[in-house]
Amino acid sequence: MQTPKLALTIPCYNEELCIESTVTRLLEVLDMLIEKGKITRDSYIYLVDDGSADSTWNIIKALHEKYPQRVKGLKFVRNYGNQKALIAGLEGVNRFGCDCVISIDADLQQDELTIENFVDEYVNGSEIVLGIRNDRKTDGFIKKTTALMFYKLMNMLGAKIPVNHSDYRLVSKKALEMMDMYPEKALFLRGFFHELGLKTSVVKFDVKPRFAGNSKFNLKTLMGLALNGITSFSIVPLRIIAGLGFLMATVAFIIGVATVIEKLVFNDSPNGTATMITLLCFFGGLQIFCLGVIGEYIGQVYREVKARPRYIVDKELL
Ligand code: UDP
Ligand code: MG
């Protein structure tokens, strides 16, 4: 196989404290790989500024001026969230050209030295290489538990996504081209690349603490990501609701028959206000919950039907 041209894409949101040292460090890694003859000299970094409110874009501009061939950038008009920034990065490098691309976070929490292993796997024939974290030491208790619950739930619901894989991954040009065939707006990348069914391998890596700045995710954005992941890859929740409704109706029917028999045969009409109220609340709650689940799907359809652009680009530095 020919030496591949590698692109690195980095979503950046208010990363003024990180971005310069991250780019410098990644350029060193690229140099090391070029020295070893593993990637071509025109390999590059593509930064996506997800509508930062700080000086991130100015730093990206300065880096581009310093390394015009090696550092490229794209700026959104506003903040669209990390998934959209990743998608824009993948689409950007696909337009610009590369043989494979690795997405990595701006805070270098993912071990950048494993980039070499990703490239090795690609050269050995993998179209997709997933970074799988060795453990979750750096995460707090809540994030750890919710993440685990999310993977369990997703897999139970039939959307198979790899456990402990964040968005640190390599994808080949072939996989990038397949992205064009999926016009859906709320593309959930982890599920998407799994669904393609291309030859996939994994690289294990260690997670480091963030070296500067704070996590840009909060419970709300993580919940949004999880819900989008589920509603865009599985309709099992809808089926569960239908099943639940059927089950409840059957139970109600049996109870109804039993009551009639009791009345007719034993002349014993049951009373029990407490039971009634409990059941009423239970079924009321269940119905609203089920409506909520259906609502999530309707929301997904609503967003897709409007067919608004995934993101709007403000500026691009090539
Ligand atoms: N990010 C982004 N848009 C957002 C939130 C985050 O582009 O709205 C980027 C962020 O700059 C970083 C990556 O997504 O490069 C991961 O974010 P972070 O490190 O804050 O997440 P965590 O490591 O806590 O999961
Ligand atoms: Mg991080």
Side-chain angles (χ1 to χ4, degrees), residues 50-62:
D50 185 11
S52 301
D54 64 3
S55 61
T56 301
W57 181 246
N58 290 334
I59 300 173
I60 294 178
K61 264 202 311 216

Side-chain angles (χ1 to χ4, degrees), residues 112-235:
E112 69 280 2
L113 284 172
T114 49
I115 288 178
E116 184 172 356
N117 308 0
F118 281 81
V119 175
D120 289 344
E121 290 292 335
Y122 168 76
V123 171
N124 287 334
S126 295
E127 301 281 349
I128 290 166
V129 188
L130 305 176
I132 305 278
R133 49 199 294 178
N134 283 327
D135 56 58
R136 286 190 162 264
K137 272 196 295 232
T138 52
D139 279 348
F141 175 74
I142 293 188
K143 198 161 177 189
K144 215 184 313 195
T145 343
T146 47
L148 198 71
M149 265 166 53
F150 172 64
Y151 291 120
K152 280 255 156 64
L153 193 67
M154 281 296 278
N155 285 307
M156 238 163 60
L157 295 178
K160 302 265 178 291
I161 58 162
V163 176
N164 281 347
H165 163 60
S166 47
D167 282 301
Y168 185 29
R169 83 172 80 73
L170 174 146
V171 300
S172 67
K173 193 172 165 52
K174 190 166 160 189
L176 285 181
E177 279 161 5
M178 288 181 170
M179 251 176 94
D180 285 345
M181 295 180 224
Y182 282 69
E184 61 188 88
K185 304 294 170 193
L187 201 59
F188 179 64
L189 291 171
R190 287 174 222 184
F192 167 72
F193 285 118
H194 188 74
E195 200 190 67
L196 290 181
L198 293 170
K199 185 163 188 278
T200 304
S201 54
V202 302
V203 164
K204 297 259 181 178
F205 70 92
D206 284 320
V207 181
K208 298 174 276 184
R210 203 177 227 282
F211 71 89
N214 299 320
S215 173
K216 306 295 180 293
F217 279 101
N218 52 38
L219 201 60
K220 190 167 149 242
T221 46
L222 285 173
M223 281 279 285
L225 185 69
L227 280 175
N228 180 34
I230 292 171
T231 50
S232 60
F233 272 90
S234 168
I235 56 160

Side-chain angles (χ1 to χ4, degrees), residues 10-13 15 50 79 81-82 85 104-107 109 143 210 214-217:
I10 312 174
C12 315
Y13 179 53
E15 298 285 6
D50 185 11
N79 179 249
N82 146 287
I104 187 166
D105 287 350
D107 52 13
Q109 282 193 276
K143 198 161 177 189
R210 203 177 227 282
N214 299 320
S215 173
K216 306 295 180 293
F217 279 101

Side-chain angles (χ1 to χ4, degrees), residues 27 33 40 113 116 177 181 207 246 263 270 294 306:
L27 285 175
L33 292 175
T40 59
L113 284 172
E116 184 172 356
E177 279 161 5
M181 295 180 224
V207 181
F246 184 75
K263 173 77 186 157
I294 297 173
K306 279 191 296 184

